[in-house]
Amino acid sequence: GPVAETFKVIQGAMTEENVRSTQAVFQFELSGDGGGTWYVDLKNKGGSAGFGKPPGTADVVMSMSSADFIKMFTGKLKPAMAFMSGKLRIKGNMALAMKLEKLL
């Protein structure tokens, strides 16, 4: 589905530089179609992304609908707007959440 495709794209776009500059593990709790627990690891060897719990503990956990997640990663929804309107809930390190926004 579209969520899995998005994570494939994220995985394909990762670089050692992203991992070096970010040093964080992000967990996404998505509701709706293609939802569930997904992660983006920008801390460990080369980085990874996919379905399920991250390897190790997440520094930031973001909860949102899968539809809004797709919009956010395709640039149709700004993360700050999603957060302020309550579509995106963030637990953990806000500074690291901001770093992820720069990578989008």
Side-chain angles (χ1 to χ4, degrees):
V3 173
E5 283 304 312
T6 303
F7 276 93
K8 270 196 197 115
V9 170
I10 294 167
Q11 173 78 58
M14 278 184 189
T15 64
E16 286 288 348
E17 179 50 40
N18 294 149
V19 174
R20 231 189 342 271
S21 66
T22 309
Q23 286 298 298
V25 177
F26 302 93
Q27 183 173 320
F28 296 88
E29 294 297 339
L30 304 180
S31 57
D33 277 353
T37 300
W38 296 79
Y39 72 92
V40 174
D41 177 351
L42 287 168
K43 190 184 261 181
N44 303 299
K45 46 176 167 354
S48 61
F51 183 72
K53 292 256 184 229
T57 310
D59 297 294
V60 182
V61 179
M62 299 186 193
S63 310
M64 63 194 315
S65 74
S66 51
D68 286 335
F69 172 81
I70 304 282
K71 284 183 197 151
M72 200 167 81
F73 270 85
T74 53
K76 294 186 181 92
L77 175 65
K78 292 264 174 262
M81 284 303 304
F83 181 71
M84 303 225 211
S85 62
K87 291 179 175 176
L88 167 62
R89 289 190 306 284
I90 299 173
K91 276 188 245 159
N93 187 322
M94 280 304 278
L96 291 174
M98 298 305 203
K99 275 189 178 184
L100 182 66
E101 181 175 1
K102 284 198 193 94
L103 292 176
L104 295 185

